[in-house]
Amino acid sequence: MSEEEAKTTEETTAPEEKEEGDAAKEEESTAHFEPVVKLEEVEVKSGEEDEEVVFGVRAKLFIYGETMLDVGTGNKTWRERGIGEARILRHREHQRLRLLMRQEKTMKVIANHAMDPRIKLEPNVGSDRSWVWSAFDFADGDLVETVFAMRFVDSDTAQEFKKKFTECQEEMEKLLAGEDKPGEDGGKAADEAAEALAGLSTKEEEPKE
């Protein structure tokens, strides 16, 4: 066999030999390894297990106040807190109502306050699809007097929200009036909320469309 014929033979057989080698490498391992740490499923509770949804609507939420950089300066502005479903929940046992809103995707609580009968929804200047109101918010774990602005997709949705909000306030008022020993939500917290509502002003600046 000449040198040229040998070279030709080598070139045609090499890919086949390579494929056989690759096939050997691609054989799956049958070894079984037990995990060092076994994770058990943990039930995560949202705090809403004992409540039913009375009303829900998607909206964008704003709050009026100081930013972290402006704390103590008195410089207050409107800033977006998040987009999500604003829901009114009723507790199955004591029947009290609250507004709860979680941010989409992260599910972080961005609004959480009792449906105090003395809260007043005010129209946002220059917009027929948003409302402004003040309440004691518990979203971060502490009662903080907060000015909210909520914007909806259209004016019809905004009116529907106000109607249901007002209905739930009336229900809450009757409920609190019938309690001989109202708890913090219906007694002290409600009185503090009323004082806060009287002292908070929302006319200085409105969220821009």
Side-chain angles (χ1 to χ4, degrees), residues 119-172:
I119 294 175
K120 292 184 179 180
L121 297 184
E122 300 289 347
N124 185 13
V125 177
S127 175
D128 63 352
R129 59 189 183 100
S130 60
W131 300 105
V132 178
W133 72 93
S134 304
F136 265 89
D137 183 43
F138 200 70
D140 294 326
D142 295 308
L143 279 176
V144 179
E145 52 186 6
T146 306
V147 182
F148 295 103
M150 189 172 289
R151 183 183 300 159
F152 305 90
V153 65
D154 53 38
S155 59
D156 290 340
T157 305
Q159 290 299 326
E160 184 182 6
F161 173 81
K162 182 180 181 180
K163 179 182 178 182
K164 183 56 67 173
F165 194 99
T166 304
E167 289 175 357
C168 290
Q169 283 182 294
E170 293 173 354
E171 181 181 336
M172 190 72 161

Side-chain angles (χ1 to χ4, degrees), residues 2-18:
S2 65
E3 182 178 347
E4 184 176 349
E5 291 176 342
K7 184 177 181 182
T8 302
T9 303
E10 182 180 351
E11 289 176 349
T12 54
T13 56
E16 184 179 349
E17 293 172 353
K18 184 178 181 181

